[in-house]
Amino acid sequence: MALLDQILEHNQKFVENKEYEKYRTDKFPQKKLVVLSCMDTRLVELLPKALNVKNGDVKIVKNAGAVIAHPFGSIIRSLIVAVYELGADEVIVVGHHDCGMSGMDPERTLNKMKERGITDEVIQTLENSGTDLHKWLEGFKDVTESVAHNVSLIKNHPLIAGDIPIHGMVIDPATGKLDLIVNGYENQK
Ligand SMILES: [Zn+2]
């Protein structure tokens, strides 16, 4: 059975059996917290358990590497919505060891695209129009530095209020151990 069919078959039973009932809550984070983290598969269940958050406690924003690629991109916009519209009072950026974004080789990724049929012409056209694909596909060298950098970007963002603590942590994707990188209570502007 194709994956999509498996999902739909499961879903029908999930709803019929009212398995959703134990997850019922509302859109406002009870712990008044928004977390920015990585899409890594090991963190899907581990991160909430390690942070002791469950459905209804927190807003979680995820992407590859828990990084902010643009000061007015969708990550910052999500944090702004969480803070101003949904009542989040604190932000935690959680990077992790062994992150896929820490070993990114833009040239390798571009070659994989070419193997899948993306033409040189398309890549050249994008680069000629001012999109630096190499820079865009580049990850980070050190997760601790990356977390500190992203905390700083949020903290210094002109649209983020100064009284919101912005914390930074790195999680071990094997054990769930959290190392504190930035204590946001100490860096309020
Ligand atoms: Zn990652």
Side-chain angles (χ1 to χ4, degrees):
M1 193 190 291
L3 179 60
L4 184 63
D5 296 325
Q6 291 172 30
I7 290 171
L8 291 171
E9 187 180 281
H10 164 84
N11 182 256
Q12 195 180 356
K13 290 185 196 131
F14 180 87
V15 176
E16 272 172 16
N17 297 337
K18 298 188 176 177
E19 287 177 52
Y20 53 81
E21 280 182 340
K22 60 178 181 267
Y23 302 105
R24 268 199 173 145
T25 180
D26 63 36
K27 64 184 177 182
F28 299 99
Q30 297 298 311
K31 291 195 174 176
K32 298 186 181 298
L33 174 65
V34 52
V35 172
L36 168 60
S37 193
C38 181
M39 66 183 191
D40 194 284
T41 51
R42 293 164 291 183
L43 301 184
V44 172
E45 291 182 79
L46 182 68
L47 178 72
K49 295 289 183 196
L51 291 170
N52 191 30
V53 296
K54 59 182 192 325
N55 231 30
D57 280 345
V58 63
K59 313 303 282 190
I60 300 184
V61 181
K62 287 188 169 187
N63 70 4
V67 296
I68 295 159
H70 192 284
F72 293 94
S74 65
I75 294 291
I76 286 285
R77 185 174 57 185
S78 300
L79 298 181
I80 282 172
V81 170
V83 166
Y84 294 109
E85 295 296 335
L86 300 165
D89 284 338
E90 303 194 32
V91 179
I92 310 181
V93 178
V94 187
H96 69 100
H97 296 296
D98 191 35
C99 184
M101 287 298 278
S102 65
M104 283 286 284
D105 175 356
E107 200 55 45
R108 187 186 61 207
T109 310
L110 287 167
N111 281 332
K112 286 181 178 174
M113 290 176 188
K114 289 174 194 171
E115 285 166 15
R116 298 286 292 273
I118 311 298
T119 62
D120 278 323
E121 193 187 359
V122 166
I123 289 169
Q124 210 53 54
T125 303
L126 286 168
E127 296 211 314
N128 290 347
S129 67
T131 305
D132 186 343
L133 292 176
H134 286 79
K135 191 165 190 303
W136 186 57
L137 291 169
E138 199 177 63
F140 50 79
K141 298 267 182 295
D142 179 274
V143 68
T144 302
E145 277 173 27
S146 174
V147 166
H149 174 69
N150 285 290
V151 164
S152 171
L153 280 180
I154 301 166
K155 189 184 118 187
N156 294 305
H157 196 282
L159 299 179
I160 299 282
D163 61 347
I164 295 171
I166 317 293
H167 314 286
M169 293 178 178
V170 173
I171 190 170
D172 183 328
T175 65
K177 182 176 186 294
L178 291 163
D179 289 320
L180 185 63
I181 306 302
V182 179
N183 181 332
Y185 301 133
E186 292 170 358
N187 70 351
Q188 280 170 271
K189 55 184 171 182

